Amino acid sequence: MKQLSNRINSLPTSATLAMAAKARELKEQGKDIISLSLGEPDFNTPEFIKDAAIQAVNDNYNSYSPVNGYLDLRESICKKFKRDNNLSYNPNQIVVSTGAKQSIANVAQVLLNPGDEVLLPAPYWVSYSAISVLSEASFVEIPSSIDTDFKITPEQLEAAITPKSKLIFFNSPNNPSGTIYSEEEYRALAKVLEKHPNIYVVSDEIYEHINYGAGNFSFAAIESMYDRTITVNGVAKAFAMTGWRIGYIGAPEWIAKACNKLQGQVTSGANCIAQRATITALDAPVTKIGYMVDEFHKRRDIVLDLLGKIKGFKLNIPEGAFYVFPDISYFFGKTIKGNKIENASDFSMFLLEQANIATVTGEAFGAPDCIRMSYAASEEQLREAIDRIKKALA
Ligand code: GLU
C-alpha cells in the first residue's frame, strides 16, 4: 500500500509555487498566460556577479564548503549586516543555506517543539505556516487589514500571546502586502515582547533593498531584542538570483550552531559556486542594483494607477517588495459571466480562466479578502494584464 507519512500528508502545497506551476502548464498548452503569481525579479543576474561565478568554476570550487558557509562569505555577510542594518555579528553567528526558505526551516526545526505556538502577523508569506506545522508547532494568526496598511498593533500582539508562544515572524518589507514597519512601530511591538522572554523572533528581511524610500529597520537593532532575534536574508530578490539558492541568517551563536548541526545532516553546505558569487554581490555597493529598484518603483506606480481605476479593487500603497495586494471583497457574492465569486480563491481562478492572468489567492497568506499580484513583470505585460482584468470584469 502506498502510505505516505502523516507529516507530508498534512503539509499544504505552496500556493505560490502551485500557481506558478499551473501558469507554466497552461502556457505549455499554448495558452497566452501572463503570470503575476511568482515573486521573482524578471531581470538577469548582474554581469559582475555572473563573472564571479564563472571565475569560481575556473578556480575549481568544486568541493564541499563548510556546512555553515565559507568563512570569507560569512565575513562578507557580517560586513553587510553592519553596513546596511547596523547589526554586529561575528562569523560564528552566520549560517549560509540553500535559500532563505531553508534558513527559515532550519530555525523552525531547531527552536520549535510539539505544542509550541508560532505567532503570524497576517498577511504572512505562505511558507511560514507550513514550515511551523512541519516542525510540529501550531500557528496563531494575528489579523490585519488594508485599513491599517496591513500592520498589527502592540495590543493585538499582547492579546495573541499565550504561555505556549515560542516564535513570531516579522517580515518587512512584507510579502504579500509590501508594507514596511517603521522603527517606531517595531519598537512598540518590541515593548510587548520584552515582557515575554520565551518568545524568539524571526525577522525576514529578504526584500530590504526593494523599498521605495521608507528604508528598512532591522528588528535585531533593538538592543533588548538582539539576543532573541534571528535575522534572515539572502540574495534572491535584491540581486535577481532566485535560482542560485543562497540565503543566510545572523543569529545568537547557540541558534546558529544548532542550524549548522541540522544542516550538516540534511543538506551540507550550500552550492559552492553560488556562495563565491554571493561574496561579490554582497561586497558591491548597494547602488549597483539601484536600476532594478527604480524599475520596480516605476512599475508599482503604473500598477497602482491602472488597478485603482477598476471598481472593486481597494489598494494600499506598498512601500516595498514587488507585490500589490488589493482587497477584492467587493466581488464576493457577485456572479460575473456565470461565475459565482464566493471568495478570493474563486476570484483568482476567475482571473486565470477568464483573463489568462495568474495571481495568488490571499487565503494562502492569511488574508482572505485579497489577492496577490506580483509586478516583477515587464511594463508591457503589466499593462496588458490589467487591461485583460478590466475587460473580464466589465
Ligand atoms: N517567495 C516567492 C513568492 O512568494 C517565491 C516563491 C516561494 O518560495 O514561495 O512568490
Side-chain angles (χ1 to χ4, degrees), residues 207-244:
Y207 293 96
E208 71 163 337
H209 291 308
I210 305 171
N211 78 73
Y212 311 122
N216 180 59
F217 181 75
S218 290
F219 199 77
I222 301 170
E223 212 173 305
S224 60
M225 294 292 114
Y226 177 82
D227 281 336
R228 48 169 149 149
T229 300
I230 300 98
T231 308
V232 177
N233 214 322
V235 288
K237 313 291 182 181
F239 297 94
M241 292 172 70
T242 49
W244 297 59

Side-chain angles (χ1 to χ4, degrees), residues 283-304:
D283 285 352
V286 178
T287 46
K288 279 225 170 194
I289 52 166
Y291 68 97
M292 292 192 261
V293 181
D294 290 346
E295 185 60 31
F296 286 134
H297 193 172
K298 192 174 122 206
R299 294 176 193 174
R300 180 203 67 172
D301 290 345
I302 292 169
V303 167
L304 286 181

Side-chain angles (χ1 to χ4, degrees), residues 14 16-17 37-39 101 125-127 175 207 237 323 372:
S14 160
T16 49
L17 299 184
S37 56
L38 202 57
K101 198 181 263 181
W125 177 49
V126 290
S127 293
N175 172 8
Y207 293 96
K237 313 291 182 181
Y323 309 104
R372 190 187 79 172

